[in-house]
Amino acid sequence: MGRDYYAALEINRNATDADIKKAYRRLALKYHPQNSSQPGAYDKFNELAEAYEVLSDLRKKATYDKFGEEGLKGGIPPESAASGAWSSGYVYHGNPNKTFRQFFGGDNPFADFYTADGNEVSIDFGGLRGRGVKKQDPPIERDLHLALEDLFYGCTKKIKISRRVMNEDGHTSSIKDKILTITVKPGWSEGTRVTFPKEGDQGPNNVPADIVFIVRQKPHPRFVCRKNYLIYTAHISLEMALTGFSVEVETLDGRLLNIPVNDIVHPQYSKVIPGEGMPTSDSPSTKGDLIIQFNTHFPEKLTAEKKRLLKQVLTL
């Protein structure tokens, strides 16, 4: 009875070309003599190569399916051969490393499995680890621009990406879209990084890159945000700076704060309103402070009489 190439690759007779390639990839790595110390590993490695050589070739596979190993290697009798069918016996070349190199590419498929000092790097059942052939592409970083209100309340952002995805055959690829969902938490700040592991382009010999979104705050008409502090700039006159006034500030959640300022507003002065800043990401119910800075507008000129009166008042 002839050999069962399907059993050798641990697949059934309905296996597709992609199934055949996937099975050979997995088993050839498992039983490669440099990776396996099991007794008979080389014989199994050789058997896998022959099975793949036959089943990956449409004409050889068709002949094997109809006539078995005997018909494949002994040739098809003339009375059984159809036009264009196999006419002479198939001879396996007997070099499993040749098949392995052709499948994985390169003259020395295991070149990357060794360190500079010649020490071997192990290969696990499903492929390579350590300095294996598959290396991850560098991260792909993109800015995520958010309004200050998004960072105050939190929100959900859906982003469509287009990436290269491997087809079932393990060798070709196509471009497909995917929606990534980002749940923005209240209190996130400028520079917060959101990582989607291995969502970059796929390839036969690479680990897809991580996609990283970096939070960038859009300019706001009233506030500047520094971590969980909100900074508001009030424009006042010199008279107000010296005599006192009230500042109205509309908060991000729509409230109107009326803040009295009774101190003299000097250039370094600021007013701190506790608990009216941004929420903290680890405890959204806890908020930072609102800091009011002041831009004092001085008069462009004064009459002699006003100067005299000012000197009189300031010297009292």
Side-chain angles (χ1 to χ4, degrees), residues 178-197:
K178 183 173 183 177
I179 301 296
L180 300 180
T181 301
I182 300 176
T183 303
V184 178
K185 296 182 179 180
W188 276 12
S189 58
E190 177 92 5
T192 299
R193 299 169 70 89
V194 185
T195 301
F196 291 87

Side-chain angles (χ1 to χ4, degrees), residues 43-235:
D43 292 338
K44 178 65 175 178
F45 183 64
N46 192 52
E47 180 185 15
L48 291 169
E50 183 175 343
Y52 177 74
E53 285 278 339
V54 172
L55 297 183
S56 64
D57 185 289
L58 292 179
R59 294 183 66 188
K60 294 185 183 73
K61 182 177 181 295
T63 303
Y64 173 75
D65 287 345
K66 187 172 183 179
F67 299 102
E69 185 187 11
E70 293 83 358
L72 177 70
K73 294 184 175 179
I76 305 171
E79 62 271 14
S80 301
S83 174
W86 195 266
S87 59
S88 60
Y90 162 69
V91 178
Y92 172 53
H93 53 66
N95 185 354
N97 286 314
K98 175 182 177 182
T99 304
F100 188 86
R101 283 196 301 270
Q102 290 174 341
F103 184 90
F104 287 96
D107 292 333
N108 184 5
F110 281 86
D112 285 340
F113 300 179
Y114 294 88
T115 59
D117 58 7
N119 293 325
E120 185 175 355
V121 178
S122 61
I123 308 169
D124 63 18
F125 178 84
L128 313 178
R129 78 174 174 260
R131 286 184 64 252
V133 170
K134 288 194 174 184
K135 297 180 180 179
Q136 186 171 24
D137 292 338
I140 300 169
E141 297 184 348
R142 294 290 183 268
D143 289 341
L144 176 64
H145 295 277
L146 297 173
L148 191 54
E149 286 79 2
D150 293 334
L151 299 173
F152 183 83
Y153 287 107
C155 64
T156 299
K157 297 291 183 181
K158 294 185 180 295
I159 300 174
K160 183 172 75 171
I161 63 170
S162 296
R163 59 176 187 157
R164 189 168 295 279
V165 178
M166 293 301 298
N167 297 325
E168 290 186 359
D169 60 12
H171 296 282
T172 61
S173 61
S174 55
I175 301 296
K176 292 186 178 180
D177 292 338
K178 183 173 183 177
I179 301 296
L180 300 180
T181 301
I182 300 176
T183 303
V184 178
K185 296 182 179 180
W188 276 12
S189 58
E190 177 92 5
T192 299
R193 299 169 70 89
V194 185
T195 301
F196 291 87
K198 301 179 182 179
E199 289 290 358
D201 288 340
Q202 298 176 0
N205 296 314
N206 74 302
V207 176
D210 295 341
I211 295 181
V212 181
F213 291 96
I214 304 173
V215 170
R216 302 299 182 198
Q217 179 196 318
K218 295 179 181 178
H220 194 271
R222 298 193 305 281
F223 299 107
V224 173
C225 183
R226 296 285 185 269
K227 295 186 178 180
N228 63 334
Y229 294 98
L230 283 178
I231 300 172
Y232 178 85
T233 299
H235 296 269

